[in-house]
């Protein structure tokens, strides 16, 4: 199987000023071409270090893609590093210079002399056209390996990859086909899922299954490799079936479909409406719901009732209930949900009240204590959670968990 290594170039990537999003884009797109990435190097704007990374990357992989350092300034050294690594001097190409000059002329900007550097590529290599900027990319072959240098600017890098490099990589003979499916889960911890899946998670099996976690959402990525498309598809389908049998309703979606999108689909199918009443999440739940285009079809309204007074004034939660049980209590969560449903005349209402911290805890009400209530038909269901980590995590997790409670209700009705 052909493999890739990526070299991300730039001081800003090592100082934390810039997040390396180019690698994310490239690794995902290469995998779609059945080319897994086996190594990623991040190096500063330093010719020795770039050259060394190119050599190391060529030990690891068949396709080496560098991004960054193709600009015109003295800290842009990828051209020189490629020349050193290929053992081939930089040569000015008149056709590239003409294009760069035209780029500036058509924008009525004076070209600075150092932009001329961008028309130089190592002798024997091929330029990759840049449709969005001045710097052409470089494509070179050495001892059976493919080397490509793409710009650092993410939009230019993506355009050059899609329009110039992808067609070339697509034509390479495929030794293996890789197919990928993501299954997204909510409502069980990572270790419980791992225990349930057991040997399916073995590292030496095909398909290989990886687990990642993000605010309570657990994603299983299934990678099936085979000599031909059919075998890979059969391997993938067999694993998807086994995992679905084992995890059942814990799985809420496939690939990039989010929990709010899943809720939206279910509510739309059932022609039902939803309202929200939020205390500690203060609109986060409403935001997640309305991030989905078309949410107007099912989301009616939401209340942010942060203070006790607002809970009473806006949602008719009685002062007595708040006084007796406290604002963070199952009774208040239930009253918020019940009254929100009634006031909005919605089919469902979700309510959240909790202690996001870092202050506000009491001995019997710790940070992370959250009550979530769902009012539906003539019933109210309230659940208690104690989430860990920090304020933003607790708030995000609370909103996502509320959505999951609604999802489980909606699928149990079907
Ligand atoms: P330029 O002509 O702008 O100098 P370049 O090809 O030399 O282009 P860089 O100078 O390395 O590229 O980076 C240009 C911009 O792209 C910078 O703002 C940088 O932060 C951003 N960038 C570079 N590499 C990455 C990366 N791996 N992920 C995300 N952004 C990046
Ligand atoms: Mg630069």
């Amino acid at each position: 199987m052909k493999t890739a290594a990526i070299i991300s170039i730039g001081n800003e990537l090592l100082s934390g000023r810039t997040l390396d999003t180019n690698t994310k884009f490239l690794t995902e797109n290469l995998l779609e071409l059945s080319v897994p990435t086996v190594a990623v190097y991040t190096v500063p704007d330093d010719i020795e270090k770039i050259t060394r990374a190119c050599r190391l990357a060529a030990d690891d992989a068949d396709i080496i893609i560098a991004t960054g350092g193709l600009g015109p300034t003295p800290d842009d050294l990828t051209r020189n590093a490629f020349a050193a690594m290929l053992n081939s001097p930089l040569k000015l190409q008149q056709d590239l210079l003409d294009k760069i000059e035209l780029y500036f002329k058509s924008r009525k900007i004076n070209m600075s002399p150092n932009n001329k550097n961008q028309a130089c590529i190592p002798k024997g290599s091929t330029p990759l056209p840049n449709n969005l900027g001045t710097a052409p990319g470089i494509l070179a072959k050495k001892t059976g390996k493919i080397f490509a240098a793409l710009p650092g600017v993410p939009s230019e890098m993506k355009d050059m990859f899609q329009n110039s490099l992808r067609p070339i990589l697509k034509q390479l003979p495929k030794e293996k086909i890789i197919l990928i499916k993501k299954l997204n889960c909510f409502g069980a911890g990572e270790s419980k899922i791992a225990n349930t899946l057991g040997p399916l998670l073995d590292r030496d099996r095909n398909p290989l299954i990886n687990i990642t976690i993000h605010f309570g959402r657990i994603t299983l990525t299934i990678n099936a490799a085979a000599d031909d498309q059919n075998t890979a598809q059969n391997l993938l389908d067999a694993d998807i079936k086994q995992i679905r049998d084992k995890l059942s309703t814990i799985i809420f979606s496939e690939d990039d479909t989010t929990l709010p999108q899943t809720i939206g689909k279910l509510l739309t199918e059932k022609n039902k409406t939803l309202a929200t009443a939020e205390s500690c999440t203060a609109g986060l739940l409403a935001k997640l719901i309305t991030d989905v285009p078309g949410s107007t079809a099912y989301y009616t309204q939401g209340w942010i009732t942060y203070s006790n007074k607002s809970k009473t004034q806006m949602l008719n939660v009685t002062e007595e209930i708040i006084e007796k049980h406290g604002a963070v209590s199952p009774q208040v969560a239930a009253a918020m949900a019940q009254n929100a449903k009634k006031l909005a005349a919605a089919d469902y209402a979700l309510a959240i009240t909790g202690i996001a911290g870092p202050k506000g805890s009491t001995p019997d009400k710790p940070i992370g204590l959250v009550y979530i209530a769902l009012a539906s038909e003539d019933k109210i269901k309230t659940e208690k959670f104690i989430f860990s980590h920090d304020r933003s995590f607790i708030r995000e997790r609370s909103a996502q968990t509320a959505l999951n409670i609604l999802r489980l209700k909606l699928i149990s009705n079907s």
Side-chain angles (χ1 to χ4, degrees):
M1 184 180 339
K2 290 255 185 295
T3 58
I6 293 168
I7 306 173
S8 298
I9 300 163
N11 291 351
E12 74 276 19
L13 301 171
L14 287 154
S15 66
R17 262 182 294 137
T18 302
L19 186 67
D20 181 2
T21 53
N22 287 352
T23 293
K24 175 177 160 53
F25 173 86
L26 288 171
T27 48
E28 285 177 354
N29 279 274
L30 286 163
L31 208 48
E32 257 178 44
L33 294 167
S34 295
V35 179
T37 298
V38 291
V40 176
Y41 299 83
T42 307
V43 292
D45 298 301
D46 174 314
I47 185 156
E48 302 293 329
K49 296 216 161 59
I50 302 170
T51 313
R52 186 166 169 271
C54 287
R55 294 208 173 102
L56 290 171
D59 282 344
D60 286 326
D62 310 292
I63 298 160
I64 296 93
I65 304 179
T67 77
L70 287 180
T73 54
D75 62 350
D76 292 311
L77 296 161
T78 305
R79 274 179 296 275
N80 307 67
F82 262 48
M85 181 265 306
L86 296 166
N87 218 350
S88 180
L90 286 177
K91 190 170 173 268
L92 183 107
Q93 287 209 11
Q94 191 55 47
D95 56 330
L96 295 180
L97 185 58
D98 292 346
K99 261 196 188 163
I100 296 169
E101 282 174 347
L102 190 67
Y103 176 94
F104 286 103
K105 217 173 154 191
S106 64
R107 287 167 176 76
K108 299 196 168 42
I109 305 169
N110 278 339
M111 185 178 120
S112 112
N114 55 14
N115 278 102
K116 216 173 160 182
N117 297 338
Q118 296 183 299
C120 300
I121 61 169
K123 213 170 154 224
S125 61
T126 312
L128 296 170
N130 189 334
N131 299 319
L132 304 176
T134 53
I138 303 169
L139 181 72
K141 284 191 187 141
K142 191 187 174 190
T143 57
K145 311 267 171 170
I146 294 177
F147 293 84
L150 306 181
V153 183
S155 56
E156 292 180 29
M157 183 281 300
K158 286 180 190 172
D159 183 83
M160 196 178 286
F161 179 85
Q162 300 290 26
N163 293 312
S164 300
L165 194 55
R166 179 194 282 275
I168 294 167
L169 298 180
K170 226 178 160 176
Q171 278 179 3
L172 293 176
K174 280 210 178 88
E175 290 143 38
K176 285 256 185 242
I177 299 288
I178 301 177
L179 296 180
I180 296 159
K181 176 64 82 187
K182 287 194 265 183
L183 296 178
N184 301 306
C185 308
F186 202 101
E190 208 175 356
S191 45
K192 186 179 169 204
I193 288 183
N195 281 341
T196 311
L197 296 182
L200 278 171
L201 295 179
D202 284 352
R203 295 292 78 195
D204 54 357
R205 78 185 278 283
N206 177 30
L208 185 67
I209 301 172
N210 293 318
I211 301 190
T212 49
I213 181 157
H214 183 73
F215 289 125
R217 182 196 68 208
I218 290 177
T219 300
L220 304 169
T221 308
I222 313 160
N223 298 267
D227 294 338
D228 62 274
Q229 183 85 19
N230 265 353
T231 315
Q233 191 66 56
N234 290 341
L235 280 169
L236 190 69
D237 290 346
D239 260 30
I240 294 171
K241 186 176 180 313
Q242 275 203 67
I243 296 171
R244 282 200 173 278
D245 286 347
K246 283 178 191 284
L247 298 180
S248 166
T249 57
I250 291 175
I251 300 171
F252 70 85
S253 75
E254 289 188 358
D255 296 329
D256 295 325
T257 305
T258 63
L259 197 44
Q261 286 169 337
T262 305
I263 299 305
K265 195 166 164 273
L266 288 167
L267 286 167
T268 308
E269 274 167 17
K270 291 171 184 290
N271 200 17
K272 299 284 186 195
T273 55
L274 171 67
T276 54
E278 300 176 70
S279 187
C280 66
T281 48
L284 184 58
L285 176 60
K287 184 202 176 289
L288 291 176
I289 294 165
T290 55
D291 276 344
V292 180
S295 47
T296 182
Y298 49 85
Y299 184 63
T300 61
Q301 68 200 90
W303 286 263
I304 299 174
T305 53
Y306 213 57
S307 66
N308 291 353
K309 199 170 153 193
S310 68
K311 288 179 183 67
T312 304
Q313 281 183 348
M314 293 168 72
L315 282 174
N316 304 332
V317 179
T318 63
E319 283 172 3
E320 293 75 49
I321 292 189
I322 298 177
E323 206 138 282
K324 191 166 172 205
H325 304 285
V328 179
S329 61
Q331 292 82 357
V332 167
M336 284 168 71
Q338 183 176 31
N339 297 352
K341 179 178 178 298
K342 198 166 156 210
L343 287 165
D347 297 303
Y348 298 100
L350 280 168
I352 303 176
T353 178
I355 303 166
K359 290 185 187 147
S361 64
T362 62
D364 56 333
K365 292 191 176 175
I367 287 164
L369 173 68
V370 176
Y371 291 97
I372 302 175
L374 170 65
S376 53
E377 294 105 35
D378 51 356
K379 288 192 295 279
I380 302 162
K381 187 181 172 213
T382 307
E383 289 187 54
K384 174 184 175 181
F385 299 89
I386 298 179
F387 297 125
S388 53
H389 301 287
D390 62 7
R391 183 175 174 85
S392 77
F393 185 94
I394 291 167
R395 283 153 52 94
E396 179 78 29
R397 188 74 199 263
S398 302
Q400 296 280 357
T401 302
L403 289 172
N404 195 52
I405 289 171
L406 175 63
R407 176 184 73 92
L408 292 173
K409 172 74 187 167
L410 290 168
I411 56 175
S412 74
N413 281 355
S414 59

